[in-house]
Amino acid sequence: ARGCSPLLQTPATVLSVIAGPNAWILQCLETFASGGNRLCGGACRHLSTHKFVTIILIRRAEPTGKPKSAALVRSGAIDHLVDRETAMVDLPFHPECGWYLDHHQTNRPNEDEETRFIQAGGTCHWEATPSAARLAYDVLSPYIDLSHLEEIMPVVDALDSGQISREAFIADGPILQLSRSLSMREPEHMQRLLDMLAQGMTLADVLADADILPHVARAKLERAEAQMVVEAHTTIVDRLAICRMDEKGVRSNGYLVTAWAGDRADACCIVHGYADGSIDTPERPALSASFYANSFLKNGQGRFDLSRLATALDPTGGGHANACGCRVQPPGIDANLKVCLLYTSPSPRDRG
């Protein structure tokens, strides 16, 4: 990795960048990392595990930081808030921010952008880490006690990088259930959990908390409901599993779909949201599509550059070669899916 700039020399550098009234902006994508259902209540937004942990890490450094929605960031609606006191994490590069941290290939600034950004006083960390949370952990851990998160980090990395095993996913352990409990329809629960972990509470104490337990139980039940949607509304075309969760108030990332598809699919496409949805209505979000490689297959990652699908449909789409997303574009889902199938058929590589 180019690394963008030397690691921060002192914790004061971090704090001077992210302190202030505009604080920092973090991505709250409409995906969630553990593959269970998500966000019902119309189709609520879900905060992925690695993004939530990234928030925790930065809150440990700067307790007054205030996150903003990724949709607002991507739309340009809050460009006027982005300045040298803004940290942007897990988002496309923005030359006006003060601290840029990310691991997505499609978000990486080019060398000229990087040079000009650093010369203007910006601090930039781009590395091909398994998750944005891992990069934030590596940057901040020399200065801040993050030992209570050591148990969580390997799971966070595995979820975001597609390295979790099918067996571990199906077993659905407590960290996976806790991650799926994160929902914008439950803001008080998210804030409580954020405060607990940002203040240094251990995972065992969090999972034993009487206020947390009902949400974990709910997440377990909702995964079963999402599984039924996957089974009823997924078709496989040219080894692409297409799951239609739109208009159903249920969310999932690729793990639930590829676990169901097994060796019949190399990748999946999941459609979420509502035709009349909007970035202004979190309880009824706009239509979006997410793409995931089937990481449960042997050598399942790296067979395609799925980000080509996302950027072909939406110039602001992107992510990783093995996991990415975009907004559904006019004239609608069916037309967008035809574009996807043009990219996936015929298969660019013999599957054997």
Side-chain angles (χ1 to χ4, degrees), residues 31 240-242 253-254 258 267-272 288-294 305-314 317-328 336-337 339-341 344:
T31 62
L240 178 69
I242 302 172
N253 78 356
T258 55
C268 70
C269 169
I270 307 175
V271 182
H272 295 113
S288 63
S290 301
F291 305 92
Y292 302 91
N294 187 350
D305 181 358
L306 295 174
S307 68
R308 292 180 61 206
L309 293 175
T311 54
L313 295 169
D314 176 4
H320 304 287
N322 295 305
C324 53
C326 65
R327 300 171 298 176
V328 171
N336 282 215
L337 289 176
V339 174
C340 292
L341 294 175
T344 60

Side-chain angles (χ1 to χ4, degrees), residues 188-219:
E188 292 183 1
H189 164 60
M190 276 208 308
Q191 186 62 53
R192 182 181 297 111
L193 182 57
L194 173 62
D195 290 342
M196 286 177 171
L197 292 172
Q199 292 167 11
M201 186 175 289
T202 67
L203 177 63
D205 289 340
V206 168
L207 291 172
D209 187 272
D211 291 326
I212 300 297
L213 284 171
H215 295 278
V216 175
R218 166 182 53 79

Side-chain angles (χ1 to χ4, degrees), residues 2-181:
R2 199 161 62 239
C4 295
S5 75
L7 291 178
L8 303 177
Q9 297 301 307
T10 67
T13 308
V14 181
L15 301 182
S16 68
V17 172
I18 63 179
N22 298 330
W24 48 285
I25 298 175
L26 285 173
Q27 185 172 19
C28 301
L29 286 179
E30 300 165 1
T31 62
F32 61 104
S34 55
N37 70 344
R38 192 58 314 164
L39 291 104
C40 310
C44 306
R45 294 172 184 265
H46 185 101
L47 184 61
S48 69
T49 308
H50 86 281
K51 294 174 178 63
F52 187 76
V53 173
T54 307
I55 293 174
I56 293 167
L57 292 164
I58 298 181
R59 277 285 299 273
R60 287 283 283 173
E62 177 46 58
T64 63
K66 298 177 181 179
K68 301 292 184 180
S69 163
L72 293 175
V73 175
R74 292 179 183 277
S75 71
I78 56 175
D79 272 356
H80 62 288
L81 295 178
V82 179
D83 57 24
R84 293 299 183 218
E85 293 183 338
T86 304
M88 300 191 74
V89 180
D90 223 27
L91 283 166
F93 176 71
H94 197 300
E96 300 304 318
C97 72
W99 182 26
Y100 180 73
L101 183 148
D102 193 35
H103 69 137
H104 291 96
Q105 183 63 44
T106 57
N107 290 348
R108 187 178 188 178
N110 61 41
E111 292 191 28
D112 182 58
E113 290 173 326
E114 171 195 326
T115 298
R116 286 187 280 111
F117 178 66
I118 294 172
Q119 289 176 345
T123 297
C124 180
H125 292 94
W126 188 98
E127 291 189 36
T129 50
S131 66
R134 172 59 64 183
L135 181 53
Y137 183 93
D138 290 346
V139 169
L140 296 173
S141 58
Y143 313 111
I144 303 168
D145 180 11
L146 302 175
S147 57
H148 67 296
L149 296 175
E150 289 178 0
E151 181 181 1
I152 298 175
M153 291 305 301
V155 180
V156 172
D157 288 343
L159 286 169
D160 195 43
S161 63
Q163 296 300 315
I164 189 170
S165 69
R166 189 171 185 270
E167 292 74 20
F169 173 75
I170 292 174
D172 197 26
I175 296 179
L176 301 190
Q177 293 171 9
L178 181 65
S179 74
R180 292 200 309 277
S181 75

Side-chain angles (χ1 to χ4, degrees), residues 181-318:
S181 75
L182 301 172
S183 165
M184 292 302 288
R185 69 179 182 183
E186 301 282 357
E188 292 183 1
H189 164 60
M190 276 208 308
Q191 186 62 53
R192 182 181 297 111
L193 182 57
L194 173 62
D195 290 342
M196 286 177 171
L197 292 172
Q199 292 167 11
M201 186 175 289
T202 67
L203 177 63
D205 289 340
V206 168
L207 291 172
D209 187 272
D211 291 326
I212 300 297
L213 284 171
H215 295 278
V216 175
R218 166 182 53 79
K220 184 176 181 179
L221 291 174
E222 288 178 342
R223 173 158 146 169
E225 297 172 359
Q227 180 70 48
M228 291 189 288
V229 172
V230 169
E231 294 173 2
H233 298 281
T234 303
T235 56
I236 299 176
V237 182
D238 292 324
R239 299 189 60 78
L240 178 69
I242 302 172
C243 181
R244 297 291 298 269
M245 290 191 167
D246 50 302
E247 312 294 337
K248 298 176 182 64
V250 176
R251 295 196 62 85
S252 175
N253 78 356
Y255 292 121
L256 201 66
V257 177
T258 55
W260 172 82
D263 61 5
R264 295 175 295 163
D266 293 317
C268 70
C269 169
I270 307 175
V271 182
H272 295 113
Y274 291 85
D276 63 353
S278 166
I279 63 173
D280 298 320
T281 54
E283 73 286 353
R284 198 173 181 84
L287 291 170
S288 63
S290 301
F291 305 92
Y292 302 91
N294 187 350
S295 59
F296 297 134
L297 295 178
K298 183 178 180 180
N299 301 319
Q301 297 200 59
R303 297 188 178 195
F304 303 97
D305 181 358
L306 295 174
S307 68
R308 292 180 61 206
L309 293 175
T311 54
L313 295 169
D314 176 4
T316 68

